[in-house]
Amino acid sequence: ADGRVKFMNPLAETLTGWKQAEAVGRRLPQVFRTMKESDLGRGEVPGVEAYLYATSSTSTDTVLIPRSGPPILVEDSNAPIKDDRGNITGLVLVFRDITKRRRAEREREQLISELDAFAHTVAHDLKNPLSIIVGSTEMLEYDFATLSEPVFRQYLRSIAVKGRKMSNIIDALLLLASVRKLSEITIVPL
């Protein structure tokens, strides 16, 4: 109720860099220094956010600033401790280190973005030769009777060349898919 630390478990000691014996009696903002993740790059390190003192709160974008070492991305929540009359006499703070989870989420987002760009490129690379094949086939269909043999063969050659190009693109995609299924890939310099 007085905004001072009464107890810290070993995980809280690890996250904050404070030992329980050092932290007990100190004000919460001194021991649990937090800031919003969005403010991390601004060079500010404000004290505990006001919402930590509310009766309930959950956030997934809080950064805990330990005494030493890099900031830790945490999911935080709290619950009030009430007496028999319902008066708030204290607060239980819970922090979970979500640094690895957030890193994995960002990596997943990056991979999805790269996959989207790759799919767009492949679609474009396949659409171009396909358009030429369709166009050449339509020309042969409509102008078959009036085409000279050299022009006719030129259309056929164009269809064959673009068909092989599409086949090569598909083979490269299949190779990429098979490489992704390997459990170990050895990378060597060229």
Side-chain angles (χ1 to χ4, degrees):
D2 63 0
R4 296 185 182 277
V5 175
K6 302 295 182 203
F7 171 79
M8 288 178 56
N9 67 15
L11 182 57
E13 290 179 332
T14 301
L15 289 175
T16 64
W18 286 87
K19 295 292 182 198
Q20 178 174 314
E22 300 171 307
V24 169
R26 294 186 185 267
R27 299 207 41 82
L28 288 174
Q30 185 179 4
V31 178
F32 295 98
R33 296 182 341 164
T34 65
M35 61 188 304
K36 291 295 188 185
E37 182 183 12
S38 57
D39 293 334
L40 187 58
R42 297 184 188 173
E44 303 170 18
V45 182
V48 168
E49 302 293 332
Y51 67 83
L52 288 178
Y53 297 101
T55 56
S56 65
S57 173
T58 300
S59 173
T60 56
D61 64 347
T62 299
V63 177
L64 183 65
I65 312 295
R67 286 174 87 179
S68 63
I72 302 165
L73 189 60
V74 294
E75 182 176 77
D76 66 308
S77 60
N78 63 69
I81 300 171
K82 297 181 180 182
D83 63 17
D84 295 338
R85 293 180 302 225
N87 297 321
I88 296 176
T89 60
L91 186 65
V92 175
L93 303 176
V94 178
F95 293 94
R96 279 186 201 86
D97 185 343
I98 60 168
T99 306
K100 289 179 183 176
R101 182 176 82 192
R102 184 60 63 86
R103 186 179 305 126
E105 289 170 358
R106 287 183 178 147
E107 288 173 1
R108 185 189 79 224
E109 289 170 8
Q110 177 66 29
L111 288 172
I112 289 171
S113 175
E114 290 173 5
L115 184 59
D116 286 347
F118 178 72
H120 181 75
T121 300
V122 169
H124 181 267
D125 287 351
L126 287 173
K127 192 170 186 173
N128 184 29
L130 185 60
S131 296
I132 293 172
I133 290 171
V134 170
S136 296
T137 305
E138 287 174 349
M139 288 295 294
L140 287 174
E141 180 183 7
Y142 295 119
D143 297 334
F144 176 75
T146 60
L147 292 176
S148 65
E149 186 175 333
V151 173
F152 181 77
R153 289 187 183 277
Q154 181 181 354
Y155 278 114
L156 289 178
R157 237 184 331 274
S158 177
I159 291 169
V161 166
K162 297 306 177 185
R164 279 192 291 279
K165 181 174 183 174
M166 288 178 64
S167 180
N168 289 340
I169 292 170
I170 292 168
D171 287 345
L173 287 172
L174 292 173
L175 177 62
L176 178 63
S178 68
V179 166
R180 288 185 55 206
K181 291 180 183 176
L182 296 176
S183 61
E184 253 185 61
I185 300 172
T186 305
I187 299 175
V188 294
L190 297 176

